[in-house]
Amino acid sequence: MPLDFDAPVRRNVDLGHGNFLIEFDAPEEIRTGMRPGQFFMIGIPGTEVLLRRPFSVCGLPGTFVGAGGDAVQVLYRVYGRATGLMAQLKPGAHLQVLGPLGNGFEPPADAGATPVFVAGGIGSAAFPCFATRLAAAGRRPVLLYGARSKGDLPLLDWFEGHCARTVVATDDGSLGRKGLVTAALEELLAEEGPRPHLYACGPTPMLKAVAKIAIAANVPCDLALEAPMACGFGVCLGCVVPCHDGGGGVRYDRCCVEGPVMPASRLAW
Ligand SMILES: Cc1cc2nc3c(=O)[nH]c(=O)nc-3n(C[C@H](O)[C@H](O)[C@H](O)COP(=O)(O)OP(=O)(O)OC[C@H]3O[C@@H](n4cnc5c(N)ncnc54)[C@H](O)[C@@H]3O)c2cc1C
Ligand code: FES
């Protein structure tokens, strides 16, 4: 059951290149019960932005050592009005937060599978708390991290310290290999080794490409989708995505309730 709570901001850290990590207080049920991949609808103080905006949970207690041990973190990129205002918030400001929402990530069903994250830019936001949960269960993920340029890879240092392996790909070649992260994925799938379970989050064109590769290689793949959202809890139908109905037709599932995490094979793209 989601809670609607007042969340005092503790810190709002500028990570550079328009990326921020905001840390706020949350009730016990959120700190202990929220699952990686789930998201919040966050209301910005004041009257300038009417609708709340969706953001994945990035850090739960235990994710970021040294950060407020009992706080919750959201990693965000400044795009428009709401995120622009969010970037100006100082400690002591109050967010209005609804969560947990959506379904979240499940660890690989195959106990021997390697979790492989495929992240595009700020799409990495949902992975830190998932990496921490997997590590607590003795499974260190591999991260394939793609972005336009080296400034668009927030928390890269953190990931390098918490993943078994990190492969970076930038469009302009300013860090890591030059080109799309999907090329790195195809190479990884061609390697001999433990069977991977893919988890992808990033721009929709990247997710479509990852889904195609995963389906062709017959590799399990869960996508964390981003759709425009007005309510976040299943009422407005603004966030629907086309899905196979199992009988050869297409139905529309709500990204906010049936997702945001969906198996690649379910999407009728
Ligand atoms: C389930 C879910 C989880 C999300 N998690 C995160 C997260 O953890 N961190 C994060 O930074 N964002 C996340 N997003 C995206 C985030 O909700 C948007 O960036 C935010 O709503 C933008 O609000 P705004 O008012 O600043 O921009 P708006 O005024 O709404 O948009 C400004 C401009 O940017 C474009 N735009 C908005 N969002 C995006 C986007 N995501 N990608 C490309 N262009 C965009 C719009 O089309 C518009 O042209 C998530 C979205 C969903 C659905
Ligand atoms: S955002 Fe309203 S139904 Fe999903």
Side-chain angles (χ1 to χ4, degrees):
M1 181 72 183
L3 301 176
D4 194 357
F5 58 96
D6 173 89
V9 173
R10 289 200 190 175
R11 295 196 304 164
N12 194 10
V13 185
D14 185 347
L15 303 176
H17 301 271
N19 300 305
F20 289 78
L21 189 72
I22 195 164
E23 183 175 306
F24 53 84
D25 291 325
E28 171 75 14
E29 294 96 311
I30 299 287
R31 288 182 273 122
T32 57
M34 192 149 182
R35 287 185 291 122
Q38 291 189 298
F39 68 98
F40 299 110
M41 291 297 284
I42 297 186
I44 309 300
T47 52
E48 279 187 64
V49 178
L50 183 64
L51 293 175
R52 298 187 193 193
R53 299 291 200 266
F55 296 94
S56 310
V57 61
C58 176
L60 288 163
T63 305
F64 297 110
V65 177
D70 54 354
V72 163
Q73 288 87 11
V74 159
L75 173 67
Y76 66 99
R77 172 127 198 242
V78 173
Y79 273 109
R81 195 72 193 137
T83 47
L85 290 169
M86 213 158 132
Q88 294 167 29
L89 296 178
K90 304 276 182 251
H94 288 249
L95 300 169
Q96 198 60 37
V97 180
L98 181 70
L101 297 165
N103 60 359
F105 294 121
E106 296 294 338
D110 174 356
T114 300
V116 175
F117 300 163
V118 187
I122 198 69
S124 62
F127 288 136
C129 55
F130 191 31
T132 314
R133 289 278 165 93
L134 288 167
R139 307 173 85 161
R140 270 165 81 87
V142 167
L143 172 69
L144 308 182
Y145 201 174
R148 261 178 252 162
S149 190
K150 65 178 178 187
D152 304 317
L153 297 157
L155 301 181
L156 177 59
D157 289 352
W158 187 93
F159 282 114
E160 284 175 339
H162 292 80
C163 293
R165 182 173 153 200
T166 304
V167 179
V168 169
T170 49
D171 294 355
D172 63 4
S174 53
L175 196 68
R177 47 187 291 156
K178 189 174 191 305
L180 297 177
V181 71
T182 42
L185 173 61
E186 282 177 311
E187 281 177 26
L188 182 125
L189 294 181
E191 288 175 9
E192 294 287 331
R195 196 168 161 74
H197 185 127
L198 307 180
Y199 299 90
C201 187
T204 302
M206 184 201 95
L207 294 184
K208 288 183 177 177
V210 170
K212 205 170 156 189
I213 292 167
I215 289 165
N218 196 25
V219 167
C221 175
D222 293 306
L223 309 173
L225 303 174
E226 273 196 19
M229 289 187 183
C231 72
F233 48 84
V235 174
C236 72
L237 304 184
C239 66
V240 293
V241 286
C243 292
H244 297 294
D245 67 1
V250 171
R251 64 162 194 253
Y252 285 86
D253 285 347
R254 294 160 300 177
C255 180
C256 66
V257 175
E258 284 82 33
V261 178
M262 291 189 191
S265 55
R266 181 156 148 201
L267 276 301
W269 277 340

